[in-house]
Amino acid sequence: MNTTISTIAQAIAVARQSIPPAEARLLLAYTLQQTPAWLLAYDDTVLDDSMVQQFNTRVARRAAGEPIAYLLGMREFYGREFYVAPGVLIPRPETELLVDVARQIVDAGDTARILDLGTGSGCIAITLALECPRATVTAIDVSLEALAVAHRNAEHLHAKLELRHSDWFSALEGEGNGECFDLMLGNPPYIAAADPHLTEGDLRHEPLAALASGADGLDALRHLITTAPDYLSPGGSLWLEHGYDQADAVRALLATRGFVDILQYKDLAGIVRVSGGVFGR
């Protein structure tokens, strides 16, 4: 990249040759610790060499395919900014549907016991802890790296919840008669291991363990649906995000395990992405 760049306007002009202008503005704003709006107001500001070098490096990494969320270290979810890092799945807008479904079940004044399965960045659990402050929220993940990011987000957003290291339900076993929750939800890995999309775009930079799950992508979903009732209170419910083409399979798994009142919810594109039901009613 041209090293004679000296102003904000010039930096953006050169960067947009390899990445979208909006992304260039985000990366430069992050580099300067300013806002994109500030860049527009002061686009004739002269940049020092170190800032130019940092910006050029980030632009090159983005042009090579690195997710912009990792470069910025942040991603918005449900109107809040969450820290993200390469060890966690990047929060996605479609996962907000899972939170919407949970909020239909647990209102702000409810004292429900909630379990977030595979919390990653903590975006689901933390959002529910903030939206439903009387609920008791527990979040589990097998990745210590993910739990560290979730802990940072909980502190940053002043959310009260319990974070626990657990390979799905393993940390809940052997505790008396077992822990019971009124609501379980999660965004488990659900992509087939051989799916070519795993080596494309942002996905190739995200943790594979948070994305892929067996030959048909249903291994984690099968395990959660099979095992969750052992930790659900009577009348408790389980809600899971799944792939765009897995709605029928997930509904069948839920029904076979004995879940009733099964419902499925579509995302903004009209695709069923969340399924769940009640157990023990």
PDB file of all heavy atoms in Angstrom, residues 210-233:
ATOM      1  N   ALA A 210     -16.676 -24.774  17.375  1.00  0.00           N
ATOM      2  CA  ALA A 210     -17.922 -24.030  17.571  1.00  0.00           C
ATOM      3  C   ALA A 210     -18.801 -24.050  16.330  1.00  0.00           C
ATOM      4  O   ALA A 210     -19.908 -23.504  16.345  1.00  0.00           O
ATOM      5  CB  ALA A 210     -17.616 -22.590  17.957  1.00  0.00           C
ATOM      6  N   LEU A 211     -18.320 -24.675  15.269  1.00  0.00           N
ATOM      7  CA  LEU A 211     -19.034 -24.660  13.993  1.00  0.00           C
ATOM      8  C   LEU A 211     -19.491 -26.041  13.536  1.00  0.00           C
ATOM      9  O   LEU A 211     -20.651 -26.226  13.166  1.00  0.00           O
ATOM     10  CB  LEU A 211     -18.141 -24.050  12.909  1.00  0.00           C
ATOM     11  CG  LEU A 211     -17.758 -22.574  13.064  1.00  0.00           C
ATOM     12  CD1 LEU A 211     -16.638 -22.227  12.094  1.00  0.00           C
ATOM     13  CD2 LEU A 211     -18.966 -21.691  12.819  1.00  0.00           C
ATOM     14  N   ALA A 212     -18.560 -27.003  13.520  1.00  0.00           N
ATOM     15  CA  ALA A 212     -18.830 -28.309  12.927  1.00  0.00           C
ATOM     16  C   ALA A 212     -19.188 -29.345  13.978  1.00  0.00           C
ATOM     17  O   ALA A 212     -18.671 -29.324  15.094  1.00  0.00           O
ATOM     18  CB  ALA A 212     -17.619 -28.776  12.130  1.00  0.00           C
ATOM     19  N   SER A 213     -20.087 -30.282  13.587  1.00  0.00           N
ATOM     20  CA  SER A 213     -20.534 -31.289  14.547  1.00  0.00           C
ATOM     21  C   SER A 213     -20.948 -32.571  13.831  1.00  0.00           C
ATOM     22  O   SER A 213     -22.130 -32.820  13.588  1.00  0.00           O
ATOM     23  CB  SER A 213     -21.703 -30.743  15.370  1.00  0.00           C
ATOM     24  OG  SER A 213     -22.069 -31.640  16.380  1.00  0.00           O
ATOM     25  N   GLY A 214     -19.960 -33.371  13.477  1.00  0.00           N
ATOM     26  CA  GLY A 214     -20.253 -34.667  12.890  1.00  0.00           C
ATOM     27  C   GLY A 214     -20.553 -34.639  11.405  1.00  0.00           C
ATOM     28  O   GLY A 214     -20.589 -33.586  10.766  1.00  0.00           O
ATOM     29  N   ALA A 215     -20.796 -35.818  10.863  1.00  0.00           N
ATOM     30  CA  ALA A 215     -20.975 -35.972   9.419  1.00  0.00           C
ATOM     31  C   ALA A 215     -22.177 -35.205   8.885  1.00  0.00           C
ATOM     32  O   ALA A 215     -22.143 -34.686   7.768  1.00  0.00           O
ATOM     33  CB  ALA A 215     -21.099 -37.459   9.075  1.00  0.00           C
ATOM     34  N   ASP A 216     -23.245 -35.129   9.672  1.00  0.00           N
ATOM     35  CA  ASP A 216     -24.446 -34.419   9.208  1.00  0.00           C
ATOM     36  C   ASP A 216     -24.691 -33.113   9.959  1.00  0.00           C
ATOM     37  O   ASP A 216     -25.704 -32.449   9.743  1.00  0.00           O
ATOM     38  CB  ASP A 216     -25.682 -35.314   9.322  1.00  0.00           C
ATOM     39  CG  ASP A 216     -25.952 -35.783  10.747  1.00  0.00           C
ATOM     40  OD1 ASP A 216     -25.190 -35.392  11.657  1.00  0.00           O
ATOM     41  OD2 ASP A 216     -26.919 -36.535  10.950  1.00  0.00           O
ATOM     42  N   GLY A 217     -23.779 -32.731  10.847  1.00  0.00           N
ATOM     43  CA  GLY A 217     -23.925 -31.484  11.592  1.00  0.00           C
ATOM     44  C   GLY A 217     -24.877 -31.571  12.766  1.00  0.00           C
ATOM     45  O   GLY A 217     -25.106 -30.580  13.454  1.00  0.00           O
ATOM     46  N   LEU A 218     -25.403 -32.760  13.036  1.00  0.00           N
ATOM     47  CA  LEU A 218     -26.430 -32.899  14.067  1.00  0.00           C
ATOM     48  C   LEU A 218     -25.936 -33.526  15.370  1.00  0.00           C
ATOM     49  O   LEU A 218     -26.721 -33.700  16.307  1.00  0.00           O
ATOM     50  CB  LEU A 218     -27.599 -33.735  13.530  1.00  0.00           C
ATOM     51  CG  LEU A 218     -28.449 -33.089  12.431  1.00  0.00           C
ATOM     52  CD1 LEU A 218     -29.361 -34.127  11.804  1.00  0.00           C
ATOM     53  CD2 LEU A 218     -29.269 -31.933  12.998  1.00  0.00           C
ATOM     54  N   ASP A 219     -24.662 -33.854  15.455  1.00  0.00           N
ATOM     55  CA  ASP A 219     -24.170 -34.564  16.647  1.00  0.00           C
ATOM     56  C   ASP A 219     -24.452 -33.800  17.940  1.00  0.00           C
ATOM     57  O   ASP A 219     -24.968 -34.359  18.916  1.00  0.00           O
ATOM     58  CB  ASP A 219     -22.670 -34.826  16.531  1.00  0.00           C
ATOM     59  CG  ASP A 219     -22.355 -36.013  15.629  1.00  0.00           C
ATOM     60  OD1 ASP A 219     -23.296 -36.561  15.015  1.00  0.00           O
ATOM     61  OD2 ASP A 219     -21.165 -36.382  15.536  1.00  0.00           O
ATOM     62  N   ALA A 220     -24.086 -32.520  17.973  1.00  0.00           N
ATOM     63  CA  ALA A 220     -24.307 -31.730  19.196  1.00  0.00           C
ATOM     64  C   ALA A 220     -25.787 -31.562  19.472  1.00  0.00           C
ATOM     65  O   ALA A 220     -26.233 -31.654  20.630  1.00  0.00           O
ATOM     66  CB  ALA A 220     -23.625 -30.372  19.069  1.00  0.00           C
ATOM     67  N   LEU A 221     -26.565 -31.308  18.442  1.00  0.00           N
ATOM     68  CA  LEU A 221     -28.008 -31.146  18.618  1.00  0.00           C
ATOM     69  C   LEU A 221     -28.636 -32.428  19.164  1.00  0.00           C
ATOM     70  O   LEU A 221     -29.489 -32.378  20.065  1.00  0.00           O
ATOM     71  CB  LEU A 221     -28.654 -30.754  17.291  1.00  0.00           C
ATOM     72  CG  LEU A 221     -28.349 -29.327  16.816  1.00  0.00           C
ATOM     73  CD1 LEU A 221     -28.608 -29.181  15.325  1.00  0.00           C
ATOM     74  CD2 LEU A 221     -29.168 -28.310  17.604  1.00  0.00           C
ATOM     75  N   ARG A 222     -28.219 -33.575  18.645  1.00  0.00           N
ATOM     76  CA  ARG A 222     -28.731 -34.854  19.162  1.00  0.00           C
ATOM     77  C   ARG A 222     -28.397 -35.007  20.644  1.00  0.00           C
ATOM     78  O   ARG A 222     -29.249 -35.405  21.452  1.00  0.00           O
ATOM     79  CB  ARG A 222     -28.109 -36.022  18.395  1.00  0.00           C
ATOM     80  CG  ARG A 222     -28.637 -36.243  16.998  1.00  0.00           C
ATOM     81  CD  ARG A 222     -28.172 -37.595  16.475  1.00  0.00           C
ATOM     82  NE  ARG A 222     -28.443 -37.721  15.050  1.00  0.00           N
ATOM     83  CZ  ARG A 222     -27.582 -37.416  14.096  1.00  0.00           C
ATOM     84  NH1 ARG A 222     -26.361 -36.992  14.409  1.00  0.00           N
ATOM     85  NH2 ARG A 222     -27.906 -37.547  12.824  1.00  0.00           N
ATOM     86  N   HIS A 223     -27.152 -34.717  20.985  1.00  0.00           N
ATOM     87  CA  HIS A 223     -26.729 -34.891  22.374  1.00  0.00           C
ATOM     88  C   HIS A 223     -27.507 -33.971  23.312  1.00  0.00           C
ATOM     89  O   HIS A 223     -27.963 -34.402  24.384  1.00  0.00           O
ATOM     90  CB  HIS A 223     -25.231 -34.610  22.495  1.00  0.00           C
ATOM     91  CG  HIS A 223     -24.728 -34.675  23.897  1.00  0.00           C
ATOM     92  ND1 HIS A 223     -24.666 -35.852  24.625  1.00  0.00           N
ATOM     93  CD2 HIS A 223     -24.281 -33.694  24.733  1.00  0.00           C
ATOM     94  CE1 HIS A 223     -24.206 -35.600  25.838  1.00  0.00           C
ATOM     95  NE2 HIS A 223     -23.957 -34.306  25.932  1.00  0.00           N
ATOM     96  N   LEU A 224     -27.663 -32.728  22.924  1.00  0.00           N
ATOM     97  CA  LEU A 224     -28.353 -31.776  23.790  1.00  0.00           C
ATOM     98  C   LEU A 224     -29.827 -32.145  23.953  1.00  0.00           C
ATOM     99  O   LEU A 224     -30.372 -32.100  25.063  1.00  0.00           O
ATOM    100  CB  LEU A 224     -28.219 -30.362  23.218  1.00  0.00           C
ATOM    101  CG  LEU A 224     -26.799 -29.796  23.197  1.00  0.00           C
ATOM    102  CD1 LEU A 224     -26.785 -28.413  22.568  1.00  0.00           C
ATOM    103  CD2 LEU A 224     -26.212 -29.744  24.607  1.00  0.00           C
ATOM    104  N   ILE A 225     -30.466 -32.507  22.862  1.00  0.00           N
ATOM    105  CA  ILE A 225     -31.888 -32.868  22.935  1.00  0.00           C
ATOM    106  C   ILE A 225     -32.082 -34.140  23.752  1.00  0.00           C
ATOM    107  O   ILE A 225     -33.034 -34.261  24.544  1.00  0.00           O
ATOM    108  CB  ILE A 225     -32.469 -33.017  21.516  1.00  0.00           C
ATOM    109  CG1 ILE A 225     -32.531 -31.645  20.827  1.00  0.00           C
ATOM    110  CG2 ILE A 225     -33.852 -33.660  21.560  1.00  0.00           C
ATOM    111  CD1 ILE A 225     -32.848 -31.692  19.348  1.00  0.00           C
ATOM    112  N   THR A 226     -31.162 -35.086  23.620  1.00  0.00           N
ATOM    113  CA  THR A 226     -31.262 -36.345  24.351  1.00  0.00           C
ATOM    114  C   THR A 226     -31.019 -36.157  25.840  1.00  0.00           C
ATOM    115  O   THR A 226     -31.706 -36.752  26.682  1.00  0.00           O
ATOM    116  CB  THR A 226     -30.253 -37.366  23.799  1.00  0.00           C
ATOM    117  OG1 THR A 226     -30.549 -37.613  22.417  1.00  0.00           O
ATOM    118  CG2 THR A 226     -30.313 -38.674  24.572  1.00  0.00           C
ATOM    119  N   THR A 227     -30.052 -35.309  26.183  1.00  0.00           N
ATOM    120  CA  THR A 227     -29.598 -35.197  27.572  1.00  0.00           C
ATOM    121  C   THR A 227     -30.288 -34.086  28.360  1.00  0.00           C
ATOM    122  O   THR A 227     -30.438 -34.196  29.586  1.00  0.00           O
ATOM    123  CB  THR A 227     -28.077 -34.961  27.594  1.00  0.00           C
ATOM    124  OG1 THR A 227     -27.439 -35.900  26.731  1.00  0.00           O
ATOM    125  CG2 THR A 227     -27.512 -35.119  29.003  1.00  0.00           C
ATOM    126  N   ALA A 228     -30.713 -33.044  27.705  1.00  0.00           N
ATOM    127  CA  ALA A 228     -31.277 -31.882  28.404  1.00  0.00           C
ATOM    128  C   ALA A 228     -32.399 -32.222  29.377  1.00  0.00           C
ATOM    129  O   ALA A 228     -32.451 -31.648  30.480  1.00  0.00           O
ATOM    130  CB  ALA A 228     -31.754 -30.849  27.385  1.00  0.00           C
ATOM    131  N   PRO A 229     -33.318 -33.138  29.047  1.00  0.00           N
ATOM    132  CA  PRO A 229     -34.407 -33.414  29.992  1.00  0.00           C
ATOM    133  C   PRO A 229     -33.946 -33.850  31.377  1.00  0.00           C
ATOM    134  O   PRO A 229     -34.669 -33.646  32.365  1.00  0.00           O
ATOM    135  CB  PRO A 229     -35.185 -34.536  29.287  1.00  0.00           C
ATOM    136  CG  PRO A 229     -34.970 -34.271  27.837  1.00  0.00           C
ATOM    137  CD  PRO A 229     -33.532 -33.833  27.756  1.00  0.00           C
ATOM    138  N   ASP A 230     -32.747 -34.434  31.462  1.00  0.00           N
ATOM    139  CA  ASP A 230     -32.233 -34.849  32.772  1.00  0.00           C
ATOM    140  C   ASP A 230     -31.942 -33.652  33.674  1.00  0.00           C
ATOM    141  O   ASP A 230     -31.786 -33.816  34.888  1.00  0.00           O
ATOM    142  CB  ASP A 230     -30.953 -35.663  32.607  1.00  0.00           C
ATOM    143  CG  ASP A 230     -31.182 -36.977  31.868  1.00  0.00           C
ATOM    144  OD1 ASP A 230     -32.333 -37.462  31.868  1.00  0.00           O
ATOM    145  OD2 ASP A 230     -30.217 -37.502  31.276  1.00  0.00           O
ATOM    146  N   TYR A 231     -31.873 -32.470  33.094  1.00  0.00           N
ATOM    147  CA  TYR A 231     -31.526 -31.268  33.855  1.00  0.00           C
ATOM    148  C   TYR A 231     -32.594 -30.176  33.736  1.00  0.00           C
ATOM    149  O   TYR A 231     -32.355 -29.040  34.122  1.00  0.00           O
ATOM    150  CB  TYR A 231     -30.174 -30.733  33.382  1.00  0.00           C
ATOM    151  CG  TYR A 231     -29.066 -31.746  33.521  1.00  0.00           C
ATOM    152  CD1 TYR A 231     -28.735 -32.575  32.464  1.00  0.00           C
ATOM    153  CD2 TYR A 231     -28.387 -31.902  34.729  1.00  0.00           C
ATOM    154  CE1 TYR A 231     -27.740 -33.534  32.590  1.00  0.00           C
ATOM    155  CE2 TYR A 231     -27.392 -32.858  34.867  1.00  0.00           C
ATOM    156  CZ  TYR A 231     -27.074 -33.669  33.789  1.00  0.00           C
ATOM    157  OH  TYR A 231     -26.099 -34.623  33.925  1.00  0.00           O
ATOM    158  N   LEU A 232     -33.749 -30.546  33.204  1.00  0.00           N
ATOM    159  CA  LEU A 232     -34.858 -29.598  33.106  1.00  0.00           C
ATOM    160  C   LEU A 232     -35.842 -29.824  34.251  1.00  0.00           C
ATOM    161  O   LEU A 232     -36.151 -30.968  34.604  1.00  0.00           O
ATOM    162  CB  LEU A 232     -35.603 -29.759  31.773  1.00  0.00           C
ATOM    163  CG  LEU A 232     -34.976 -29.121  30.536  1.00  0.00           C
ATOM    164  CD1 LEU A 232     -35.720 -29.572  29.279  1.00  0.00           C
ATOM    165  CD2 LEU A 232     -34.997 -27.600  30.647  1.00  0.00           C
ATOM    166  N   SER A 233     -36.332 -28.739  34.810  1.00  0.00           N
ATOM    167  CA  SER A 233     -37.388 -28.848  35.808  1.00  0.00           C
ATOM    168  C   SER A 233     -38.684 -29.252  35.096  1.00  0.00           C
ATOM    169  O   SER A 233     -38.805 -29.099  33.879  1.00  0.00           O
ATOM    170  CB  SER A 233     -37.568 -27.520  36.535  1.00  0.00           C
ATOM    171  OG  SER A 233     -37.892 -26.496  35.605  1.00  0.00           O
TER     172      SER A 233
END
